[in-house]
Amino acid sequence: MSDLGGQKHGHVYRVLTQNSPFADPDAFEPGADTIGYLRESKVLVIGAGGLGCEILKDLALSGFTDIHVIDMDTIDVTNLNRQFLFRQADVGKTKAEVAAAFINKRLGHLGAKVTAHVGKIQDFDETFYRKFNLLIAGLDNIAARRWMNATLHDMVDRTSGEPDPSTIIPLIDGGTEGFKGQARVIIPTMTSCFDCSLDAFPPQVNYPLCTIAETPRLPEHCVEYAVVVLWEQRFPGQKLNRDSPADMQWVYEQAKDRAATFGIPGVTYQLTMGVVKRIIPAIASTNALIAAALVAEALKVATYCGPVLNNYMMYMGQQGVYTHTFPYQKKEDCMVCGGAKLTMKRPKSSTLQELLDELGSHPSLQLSRPSISSTSGIVFMQNPKAIREQHEYKLQMSLKDLTQADPPVFSEGEDLIVTDPMLPTKLTLQVHLE
């Protein structure tokens, strides 16, 4: 290559043009062909936040040239302390477009071209994702990570009985929380998937409505009340835009007034953003470290120049610099890669409400508002409100009464379908009474 030997990506090309005891002897072929494949690989970065900015920079500096980024958010002033691709003048603009423009301007001389896609990952179909050789996720949203994980698994062609390797797209997933972080390599059907480790994540915090409405004790309660109650009263039927500075300022002012009424200190704009958007605290140095690990894995996955992570790396920097790598095993009962059904044994006298509560507290599911349907129709549906109200009478009925109703709401042991905003796919549930 003309730029080998210290220019442009010479540091990377030196690794890719000579044999190494660490490289895969059956797949790694040092030389121009490997370098060419690296430059032609299409990589999609999901998220242009704290992790995403670091990932984009590292990819461009590591020899990747066909880079894409997708993000639905706009830039807020609170992003500027760690999302270094953004400036004060960028506040209010879309993260994906600004990040792409910055990398193209600063690192375009290396051949890197970043293409921006603005929107939710759910807005793009299977055809879009099949364009890429690998995906790197730098998300702080558990639901989005679950959806992406399930989508890539669903895209694997199994018509011959065995997974078609040409349809397998690796997912390199990373996340940070303060001084802690993790990086993992997910090869659909071959390694454990994101949902296999879901019980390692703390459940989503949801505050009971009775607490936030009647006995608020924390500043978070005041923010949640402004979102759940006051917004609907002031703007009925209008959805809160969590990326709108005007909407967030309104919520902050309302939460501050409510906190003053109850003598609760601590309501700030930053706290309001954290509660409403479920923001996980981030530290720039942790983002940099995890992003470097993710891109290093991308380089190895693309070229076979070194052993790929097997398959989970944890970084713990609270009291030092410590990393731990271990193989996270596949779960046989995983709803995504195991294809298993969820079976629950419930007392005959237990109610439908208790069944829903049990689903919500299940550590491997982490559901927020589960709805259930049977072959007979709706067992219970959370939304829309009009339909929910039609079925609320069932909540206090026992499961025995529901199965013995005329006609029965559902039958014991039948395959029930559970849907939930947190679920990437539909869940099959069997309930057995005892």
Side-chain angles (χ1 to χ4, degrees):
M1 302 295 289
S2 60
D3 59 0
L4 186 59
Q7 299 180 21
K8 293 190 177 180
H9 298 109
H11 58 295
V12 177
Y13 293 168
R14 278 191 290 274
V15 175
L16 301 182
T17 53
Q18 54 189 326
N19 283 310
S20 165
F22 301 106
D24 187 331
D26 299 322
F28 179 63
E29 297 181 1
D33 288 345
T34 297
I35 293 174
Y37 181 78
L38 173 67
R39 296 177 67 86
E40 293 170 4
S41 294
K42 293 176 71 71
V43 182
L44 176 64
V45 178
I46 306 173
L51 259 182
C53 286
E54 293 280 357
I55 293 168
L56 290 170
K57 176 260 295 179
D58 290 347
L59 284 172
L61 292 174
S62 298
F64 291 91
T65 59
D66 194 353
I67 307 167
H68 295 246
V69 60
I70 179 172
D71 198 297
M72 63 174 288
D73 287 344
T74 55
I75 299 166
D76 187 83
V77 68
T78 58
N79 302 145
L80 302 182
N81 69 327
R82 64 194 180 281
Q83 298 175 22
F84 63 94
L85 300 183
F86 310 139
R87 300 293 182 266
Q88 182 72 41
D90 298 323
V91 172
K93 300 178 183 178
T94 59
K95 288 185 177 181
E97 292 176 331
V98 174
F102 191 104
I103 296 294
N104 291 338
K105 180 180 179 181
R106 181 66 65 89
L107 300 177
H109 68 284
L110 299 179
K113 179 183 178 183
V114 182
T115 304
H117 305 274
V118 179
K120 297 180 180 179
I121 56 174
Q122 296 89 341
D123 294 340
F124 297 83
D125 59 14
E126 181 178 313
T127 304
F128 172 78
Y129 292 110
R130 286 199 182 278
K131 299 176 182 177
F132 302 99
N133 297 100
L134 64 93
L135 277 65
I136 306 180
L139 296 164
D140 58 5
N141 185 309
I142 299 297
R145 292 161 81 178
R146 294 182 70 182
W147 185 91
M148 196 71 258
N149 171 72
T151 297
L152 292 181
H153 278 77
D154 290 342
M155 286 166 54
V156 177
D157 185 0
R158 299 179 177 86
T159 53
S160 65
E162 293 295 326
D164 180 354
S166 66
T167 63
I168 296 175
I169 301 176
L171 171 63
I172 303 174
D173 177 77
T176 65
E177 181 179 355
F179 287 104
K180 297 181 290 184
Q182 57 87 18
R184 68 185 302 178
V185 175
I186 299 172
I187 311 295
T189 74
M190 299 176 65
T191 68
S192 61
C193 76
F194 186 83
D195 269 42
C196 288
S197 59
L198 195 62
D199 52 4
F201 292 90
Q204 180 78 53
V205 177
N206 292 299
Y207 303 105
L209 183 59
C210 58
T211 298
I212 65 174
E214 299 174 12
T215 56
R217 301 181 301 276
L218 302 173
E220 291 84 353
H221 293 163
C222 301
V223 176
E224 196 78 3
Y225 184 81
V227 173
V228 176
V229 178
L230 298 181
W231 179 270
E232 181 62 27
Q233 290 178 355
R234 177 65 178 82
F235 308 101
Q238 180 178 329
K239 187 176 181 179
L240 173 66
N241 184 354
R242 290 167 166 78
D243 296 313
S244 166
D247 287 5
M248 295 304 299
Q249 183 66 30
W250 187 91
V251 171
Y252 164 61
E253 296 291 346
Q254 298 300 314
K256 187 170 64 172
D257 290 345
R258 183 168 177 79
T261 301
F262 286 88
I264 301 173
V267 173
T268 64
Y269 184 78
Q270 187 170 359
L271 175 77
T272 302
M273 292 282 291
V275 173
V276 175
K277 302 183 73 171
R278 308 297 188 193
I279 293 175
I280 299 173
I283 294 175
S285 58
T286 307
N287 286 336
L289 188 151
I290 295 300
L294 297 173
V295 174
E297 294 308 316
L299 184 63
K300 291 185 288 184
V301 168
T303 65
Y304 301 100
C305 67
V308 176
L309 176 68
N310 182 30
N311 53 25
Y312 197 107
M313 185 275 283
M314 296 177 61
Y315 163 68
M316 290 152 280
Q318 302 95 311
Q319 298 178 329
V321 178
Y322 175 69
T323 61
H324 176 53
T325 301
F326 61 96
Y328 214 111
Q329 301 297 327
K330 295 181 70 172
K331 290 181 63 176
E332 293 183 359
D333 60 348
C334 176
M335 303 302 158
V336 175
C337 66
K341 298 178 181 179
L342 176 64
T343 301
M344 299 181 69
K345 293 183 178 180
R346 301 292 301 164
K348 295 180 180 179
S349 59
S350 64
T351 65
L352 177 60
Q353 179 65 66
E354 290 171 334
L355 173 63
L356 294 172
D357 292 342
E358 181 71 14
L359 285 170
S361 62
H362 197 290
S364 296
L365 298 176
Q366 297 195 11
L367 307 185
S368 59
R369 296 176 62 81
S371 298
I372 305 176
S373 59
S374 68
T375 54
S376 303
I378 297 173
V379 177
F380 186 75
M381 184 172 289
Q382 300 281 1
N383 286 309
K385 183 179 179 181
I387 296 180
R388 173 190 169 93
E389 291 175 345
Q390 295 176 17
H391 297 272
E392 283 184 336
Y393 73 93
K394 302 175 187 175
L395 291 175
Q396 301 309 316
M397 293 179 64
S398 70
L399 299 181
K400 177 182 178 181
D401 289 343
L402 291 173
T403 59
Q404 294 181 351
D406 186 20
V409 177
F410 69 93
S411 301
E412 181 179 356
E414 78 163 292
D415 286 352
L416 304 174
I417 301 299
V418 179
T419 58
D420 186 273
M422 294 298 292
L423 274 179
T425 59
K426 293 179 180 178
L427 167 67
T428 302
L429 168 69
Q430 289 185 349
V431 178
H432 297 277
L433 304 182
E434 57 183 9

